[in-house]
Amino acid sequence: MLDMFFRPRAIAIIGASAKPLTIGYRIMRNILDFGYGGPVYPVTPSTPEILGKASFKNVTEIPGPVDLAHIVIKNTMVPDTLRDCAKKGVKGVIVNTSGFSEIGAEGQKLEDELRRLGKELGLRIFGPNCQGVMNTDPGVRLYSNFTFARLKPGHISILAQGGGVAEVIDNYISELGIGVRMYASNGNACDVSIPEILAYWDEDPGTRVIVLHVESFRDPKAFLDAVSKIKKPILAMKSGTSEAGARAVASHTGLLMKDDTVTDLVFERCGILRFARAQDLCEAAIAFARASIPKGRRVGIVTNAGSPAILATDEGIAAGLELPDPSPETQEHLRKNLFATSSVHNPVDMMATAGPKEWGVSVEALLRDDRFDMVLISFITPFFVDCEGVAREMARLRGETQKPVLACVMTNTEWKGTLDILDNAGIPVYYFPESAARAAAALADYAALRNRAAGKVPAIEADRKAAAALLDTAAPAAAARDGWLSGAECERLLACYGIPLAKSIWVDSVESAVRSGIEIGFPVVLKAEAAGLVHKGEAGAVAVGIADESRLRTEAQRMLAAFAGKSPKLQLQEMLSGGVEVIAGAAAIPGLGHSVMFGLGGVFVEVMKDVRFALAPITDEDARRTICGIKGFKVLQGLRGRPVADVAALEGILLRLSALVSENPMIKELDLNPVIAFAEGQGAKVADVRMRV
Amino acid sequence: MLDMFFRPRAIAIIGASAKPLTIGYRIMRNILDFGYGGPVYPVTPSTPEILGKASFKNVTEIPGPVDLAHIVIKNTMVPDTLRDCAKKGVKGVIVNTSGFSEIGAEGQKLEDELRRLGKELGLRIFGPNCQGVMNTDPGVRLYSNFTFARLKPGHISILAQGGGVAEVIDNYISELGIGVRMYASNGNACDVSIPEILAYWDEDPGTRVIVLHVESFRDPKAFLDAVSKIKKPILAMKSGTSEAGARAVASHTGLLMKDDTVTDLVFERCGILRFARAQDLCEAAIAFARASIPKGRRVGIVTNAGSPAILATDEGIAAGLELPDPSPETQEHLRKNLFATSSVHNPVDMMATAGPKEWGVSVEALLRDDRFDMVLISFITPFFVDCEGVAREMARLRGETQKPVLACVMTNTEWKGTLDILDNAGIPVYYFPESAARAAAALADYAALRNRAAGKVPAIEADRKAAAALLDTAAPAAAARDGWLSGAECERLLACYGIPLAKSIWVDSVESAVRSGIEIGFPVVLKAEAAGLVHKGEAGAVAVGIADESRLRTEAQRMLAAFAGKSPKLQLQEMLSGGVEVIAGAAAIPGLGHSVMFGLGGVFVEVMKDVRFALAPITDEDARRTICGIKGFKVLQGLRGRPVADVAALEGILLRLSALVSENPMIKELDLNPVIAFAEGQGAKVADVRMRV
């Protein structure tokens, strides 16, 4: 419960000031201007009164109870002030002051002390190095913040780690005249965390949608666990996508998994819709605050001007919306009731002269037509039309439907009356047709994200004891090889988890190689493993399609000679032919577990980077989506008359791989490359594996 | 010269009205309200005076000279009115009236009559079914249009085919307080064309940038020829990208070439920068109107708040900008002059307390540092800072530099003074950091587009006479096969243009097949051609790697039997091994010539559609860019230790292909698939070819 921050009964501003250009003054003024109902106590030794409020030298001297203290004093003075606050019975403090972990080691020490003190004193801390909070609830009216947005009450709550972006979002939405519910920017977040605020807002009846901006996940696992339980829509941005962090990875999977991939995985698992641009995020939030969540992605567009509706159509289709034509009955109805030159397809184009009657007929008809999940109005306000009458019709229909209605109204303030009617009816209104189309697509995307089957993590039969023992035994030697396990160890681990492998025998002499070759049956593949050897193919350590004993003998001799002195081992493998080359893999995500990856093999993964990730442990549905989601999925569906690949077998491999890494967190990265997928019903086999612990 | 439309000495409004809700009234009012300096003559039989101007029953009765008539009367009355206008000596008419080609055949007839009459009478026609024109030149002040934008004079000229989109763009820019120079929306464009208006504006000293919206190219060749000569920046949208036109094509090249590809090719050749969203287009136009064109894509960001600058960085990097760090000297200079906690990397983050001095120091330092081509200011207006002082510093620096300076100012109207200073200094100002970054990227993209080497269309040695004769001879028979030439004909055509082919012999008996196989040398490839046979591979009409005479005999017998009765022919080909499979192709573009296509072969083209197009005739630079521009170009650069492919040979093939189709326009579509590219210096050979005339 964060009521002490968002619904305090009284507030002290510690470090309040009478000088207008100080933060201590600005916060006082913001709180008073915004109409906060409870007592406001300035705390400062330097002036007896600020903005008509008597000030106190110390928070302990305040006569009545105080729930919240907003602290704006020097960083080194904060700890003592916390003690005073605790003495006074304050429940929460907002520490505006900077000079904590953001400035380095010394600041980190001070922040650690704050955290410790908070725990010890039973005092919740918001910040430090933060802006503060706002709450537009008419029963509260709290603006405990030094920013300048002119809030009106509404249903969008905004939480942003970075104060600057918080302000950009808040101010933009407010300047559009759209209401905001609550606002928080908690800076260094030494105590009150982002997931905690999200959970609090999930219970707030006034919040319909949450806008979130994060710069980093302090504890991704805690974020995931807490936020995946939240029921309200969260629309989010994560910035810093362009920063290429240097990481020590060597597998394809590790290299392909960017920081940004991890964000995607976390957001997807939490059911959070992600945006790349702040403006798109704000515009979508307006739709979520005002419209219901649609059943699907079929949108009907009604317009009085052709060309803007085409912009909405282009953008909508690009964003994944569908624009079916109205049903024959609807078309017939429209034909009867609109001007002869109107188009009754989708978009329905009524021409500029359409008045309230035509608009009402068209929008009502599309809302009633079960071919549409939502309706988008594209309206340029002609001076010769009763535009307010049109708006009243839209407002009436908005009140009668369960389907989302969005509007793009291309006009200016001369038509303020028209805009006000739509606004009061709670219709989300945009200026650009593309904005309305993207907002509609965001609603549909959210519906799809929330409605998709979660699936189950199936029980995997595995020899877990043997796998754990093998890893324990192998790890010390692997440490000397930068963590890489030997090929034989990798294969045994996969076998423990039932992952199908190409037949393989490890030997260390030419004669045993020949015997094993005969045992496996020609043609065979011969590979060498040796100390320091990484790229086998380029080092001449792979020979495929060996057809007979004599060729095998020659190759085995050559490889043993080439890697003499580097403890060479030879691997005899059955030659897998036919089938499609794919890659599967896994990589550890610090603080979060592992990702599981799938893609087409060979040049596809190297050049096109056409892969998909999921967060382990994955469900059967995750496995299916990961495989079907790659751009090259067609290759597995039987191209140019080739057989359809055994996708079920690939799903099985991903699920087993997921169990292997989830249950053995010491595995850092892992490539099954290639895996050969045979025709449907004929399975798939791993042909090569690399694993680092 | 379109002065009669944009700089008329006097205007008649034919169909003017005294009724406020009519277009005839609105145009009168707009012209008078906007302060047009010349005489305005309402022409109408129904009222003696409109808005204080005496009206005339017929345009011929007007006493003084009239350059422009704006016509707002019934469509069928327009022709007679044109005759009256000609009699009066009117030079141009804007036909606002609808009911022409946009309504079908009857309207088309009327429009054809208009065009014919215009030619006959020496009268230029703007429209019909159009809005009209505007010109903010203080010496003209013309608003001959019924829309509602509140224009102020500026440097952006707007031309849009669709009146609705024209209004959306014009109104948005105007509501931002940005000036517009001229405006035109010419609807059906039966006479005055888009290229003609663009050329007129190219000569207008007040126009710095042109915003263009097209829905279709009536005559793409004429557009290309005229518009590629224009020197001013054109920023454009083409809508209708989502419409999938049904086309009769059967080649890969034809299938991959969308309508939208053609737009890209035309725009690219004209040096036009294309945008997908109207808002992005408007925001870029503001930058072009106010900033110079940068030398490169290196941008330095200066900010007083970390998180918004990160949004600008993310978006900038995604849009192709580069953000190098300042030079060591600049960093040292910044360190000395900024607060200790500032970051002197890129973005330079001065902290919220930075005042005019710090802003001046930072921006000036980056402008002087030759590591940067432009500077982006990211400014949240803190209440405790002299923001107008900061703005004055920026204005001073803007006046002293040749480099573009863009600003993102996150504020509201409380800081109007600050915004006004920046505005008066001619600095493009955005609200969202991403908008500023995208606008900067648009400047850099335009610079790159304009500065890139055009290259030359090299002279190609070819037996043109033989090729033309072959096509003439082959075409009648091909017509019966849906236009497809025979394999032998295709090969001879390629040979005429010096395109290297795999050795190939066409035969029609088993014995001659065997003889030819021996002549070519084993292993060989055997293919069959037969009536109605399209997908050879799937029909069993291809056998590769035939190693000896007996296998060749068997396969030849099998194929001849399989296609008996369908006039089968056999093709013996040398077996090309090693090398990389690529595809090259060409397809006719109605009214424009041909495209030339390049991509990686096999699954890459089928699944990933990773291809690039260029407009024939292509230059050597076009050929290079087409090949280097595919996503999978790495495959040609020697992947996993494989040799680098002979890109020069591929360029040669594209150039010859371009000559072949440009000089033989009857070729409709053409696939060279696959072409095998060997190692550098070893050339490339076409292994299969299909061609339709």
Side-chain angles (χ1 to χ4, degrees), chain A residues 180-249:
Chain A
V180 169
R181 174 69 174 178
M182 295 193 202
Y183 173 101
S185 180
N186 62 340
N188 298 3
C190 83
D191 174 20
V192 174
S193 68
I194 285 180
E196 201 175 356
I197 298 167
L198 294 175
Y200 179 74
W201 288 349
D202 204 26
E203 299 301 322
D204 167 44
T207 295
R208 282 196 201 144
V209 55
I210 296 168
V211 167
L212 173 67
H213 168 260
V214 285
E215 292 185 323
S216 62
F217 296 111
R218 182 160 313 195
D219 181 348
K221 185 75 172 63
F223 184 95
L224 193 76
D225 291 344
V227 180
S228 56
K229 294 195 188 80
I230 287 176
K231 294 168 295 296
K232 286 183 183 157
I234 301 176
L235 316 183
M237 283 186 85
K238 167 142 182 349
S239 59
T241 54
S242 55
E243 313 228 341
R247 288 167 306 141
V249 290

Side-chain angles (χ1 to χ4, degrees), chain A residues 41-42 48 51 80 113 130 157 222 230 241 251 257 354 423 434 483-484 506 510-511 537 543 570 595 599 669 676:
Chain A
Y41 305 109
L51 290 163
D80 277 347
E113 190 186 342
C130 77
S157 288
I230 287 176
T241 54
S251 64
M257 187 181 70
D423 187 49
E434 295 105 318
W484 294 104
W506 290 85
V510 173
E511 284 319 309
L570 297 177
S595 67
E669 40 183 338
I676 307 297

